[in-house]
Amino acid sequence: MGLSLKKPAGVPGRSWPAIMIGLFVAFGGVLFGYDTGTIGGILAMPYWLKEFSTGYRINGAPAITASQQSEIVSILSAGTFFGALGAAPLADTLGRRLALIASTMVFTFGVILQTAATEIPMFVAGRFFAGFGVGLISALIPLYQSETAPKWIRGVIVGSYQFAITVGLLLAAIVDNATKDRDDTGSYRIPIAVQFAWAIVLISGMLVLPETPRYLIKKGKGEKASRSLARLRRLPEDHEAIRDELAEITANHEYELTLGKASYLDCFKGGVRKRLATGCLLQALQQLTGINFIFYYGTQYFKNSGITNSFVISMITSAVNVGSTIPGLYAIDKFGRRPLLLWGAVGMTVSQLLVAVLGTTTTGQNPIDGTTYSLNDSAQKAAIAFICIYIFFFASTWGPIAWVVTGEIFPLKVRAKCLSMTTATNWLLNWAIAYSTPYLVNWGPGNANLQSKIFFIWFGCCFLCIAFVYFMIYETKGLTLEQIDELYAEVKVASKSRAWRPTTTFREIRASIAAQGGMGGGQVPATEKHHNGGAEKVEREEYKHTE
């Protein structure tokens, strides 16, 4: 096996236009990552605490309560949850491209409120609207990328969204560190207002990018779909490869139309139910590995653990996050989704256990005011090293691949709806972790005061990830979105998916149905039921399963 990623021989046209478009759209991840990462540093800034404190003090210094901290951090995730759920109707109504533009405008409104705020209520309102916009964007970007990318490099393109998120986190840590010592409103307003630049870049690009061919086919705009696909592949509209790819997309869509109009209820029927469970659990477990604890509360946690220069440590962890995503993007389409997720889960499990043990056994706490301090500086440095190792395993596997898998496993008929629910699951768990963490970690009445013991929780969740991958994750490397439907219809055990090869196209399926009077009559013969998400399937005489 070679180590380079090359376009397969015999694939006509150019892939770079679709690749560049997919990578540009991934820029929306910078909005996600930056908005997520900047709040941890802002909450630790002395001037922000002096400006927004409602009278609560710690050791004589202005501060906010655990409930206020929980509200400010978690309200973003609450907004993203509802935004992700709203992405499907918006994408199916306006189209993927215009929906992204509208979502970015909602995000910008939230940034305006945060920048202008001088009290917690308005700041929280801005966080909610920014979160609503980010939630919409986080579901729309993988959808747009999956529907435009060439199959041989789809994983890299969709995974680049996670890379953009890590870049946003790093930029947030750098800007926070640069403004933290300012004794004016610029200390927090500059990091927030920088987000206007990210929004302007994304909106400007989306104004000139094409709509996805699959959406245009879904809306019955075949000529526009042909122009869009020709633009993406850099081929004439009448080229055989363009006609073949459009014919397959059209056949898949028309086959799905014979099964009736899509509704949210269809996402819970037949084989689609299994795929939805896979996507929702994958996104939930991605959050439960503990990654956002580090980026939401890392600055404050490092500070509380007796570590000096906590802002610098946050920059280091963010830089590790960015650098580690790059080999992961390469490996997705080289080695596949399933093995990377499996070994990533193993690495995260070991790392989180070691961080939990080191953090718990080498810190002390003052029983009077709850101040924590280091008993062994070398052990604390080792804990930080294992946090970085954990981030490496996450960023190179579960970080990007969760978005890749959820972006490609659903049938076209319900893809936007299912993707919105899986993304909403990510944000629901994100909210739950952001809301509960201050109560779990902090010292004081009504708090669990877990401190470093919280890493035992992340360890347990990472251990569950290993079993989840083995039993639930199918290998989809190198398959078109339409072939993935066939994979799920024919292979019932995830561990056998790596050996499966496609044998039938949707054009052949349509021809088979049409020959029996099924296509256009709205009925599919009972003997052919079972394809496409488990609702129905055309029985094939051929079943090629190579070992």
Side-chain angles (χ1 to χ4, degrees), residues 232-452:
L232 290 168
R233 303 291 184 258
R234 283 296 188 271
L235 289 170
E237 288 184 46
D238 59 354
H239 193 281
E240 182 180 0
I242 297 295
R243 293 200 305 267
D244 286 347
E245 188 170 351
L246 275 179
E248 182 68 1
I249 295 170
T250 303
N252 182 22
H253 176 59
E254 290 180 354
Y255 181 79
E256 291 178 347
L257 289 179
T258 67
L259 310 180
K261 188 176 180 180
S263 68
Y264 274 96
L265 190 61
D266 290 319
C267 301
F268 299 91
K269 291 180 179 178
V272 179
R273 180 173 59 238
K274 178 179 181 179
R275 300 193 224 183
L276 183 62
T278 299
C280 289
L281 286 171
L282 180 60
Q283 291 284 20
L285 287 170
Q286 187 208 49
Q287 290 298 305
L288 289 171
T289 61
I291 189 65
N292 277 328
F293 169 76
I294 295 171
F295 292 113
Y296 277 144
Y297 296 105
T299 303
Q300 193 64 45
Y301 171 77
F302 294 138
K303 187 176 179 181
N304 291 345
S305 297
I307 296 171
T308 58
N309 297 322
S310 56
F311 278 87
V312 175
I313 297 297
S314 291
M315 281 199 300
I316 292 172
T317 56
S318 296
V320 171
N321 196 24
V322 173
S324 302
T325 305
I326 295 172
L329 293 179
Y330 163 80
I332 289 172
D333 284 315
K334 193 64 184 177
F335 305 113
R337 286 69 161 148
R338 186 177 161 86
L340 288 180
L341 286 172
L342 185 63
W343 289 109
V346 171
M348 290 191 299
T349 300
V350 174
S351 300
Q352 292 285 37
L353 177 61
L354 291 172
V355 172
V357 172
L358 287 169
T360 302
T361 58
T362 61
T363 56
Q365 188 172 44
N366 188 324
I368 298 175
D369 60 10
T371 303
T372 55
Y373 52 89
S374 173
L375 298 174
N376 187 323
D377 289 344
S378 297
Q380 286 295 295
K381 292 176 182 178
I384 293 173
F386 281 113
I387 286 176
C388 290
I389 293 172
Y390 155 76
I391 292 173
F392 166 79
F393 280 109
F394 175 88
S396 60
T397 58
W398 279 73
I401 297 177
W403 298 104
V404 173
V405 171
T406 55
E408 66 188 10
I409 62 173
F410 300 114
L412 176 62
K413 178 181 177 182
V414 292
R415 184 172 299 142
K417 293 179 175 64
C418 288
L419 192 54
S420 73
M421 284 190 281
T422 60
T423 306
T425 302
N426 179 293
W427 288 113
L428 180 64
L429 269 295
N430 191 304
W431 169 82
I433 292 168
Y435 184 82
S436 62
T437 293
Y439 298 105
L440 291 172
V441 175
N442 290 358
W443 175 87
N447 298 330
N449 193 30
L450 291 179
Q451 302 296 334
S452 294

Side-chain angles (χ1 to χ4, degrees), residues 190-203:
I190 291 174
I192 294 170
V194 164
Q195 295 173 102
F196 288 120
W198 316 144
I200 291 170
V201 170
L202 185 59
I203 290 175

Side-chain angles (χ1 to χ4, degrees), residues 414-496:
V414 292
R415 184 172 299 142
K417 293 179 175 64
C418 288
L419 192 54
S420 73
M421 284 190 281
T422 60
T423 306
T425 302
N426 179 293
W427 288 113
L428 180 64
L429 269 295
N430 191 304
W431 169 82
I433 292 168
Y435 184 82
S436 62
T437 293
Y439 298 105
L440 291 172
V441 175
N442 290 358
W443 175 87
N447 298 330
N449 193 30
L450 291 179
Q451 302 296 334
S452 294
K453 297 183 186 71
I454 196 170
F455 284 95
F456 283 112
I457 297 176
W458 312 140
F459 155 73
C461 292
C462 289
F463 188 78
L464 289 177
C465 291
I466 300 173
F468 167 77
V469 173
Y470 183 81
F471 290 108
M472 296 290 287
I473 295 296
Y474 281 63
E475 184 54 70
T476 53
K477 177 175 77 77
L479 302 178
T480 67
L481 300 183
E482 289 69 38
Q483 288 168 343
I484 291 172
D485 283 345
E486 188 184 353
L487 165 67
Y488 271 91
E490 293 189 351
V491 180
K492 301 304 179 185
V493 181
S495 60
K496 296 181 179 179

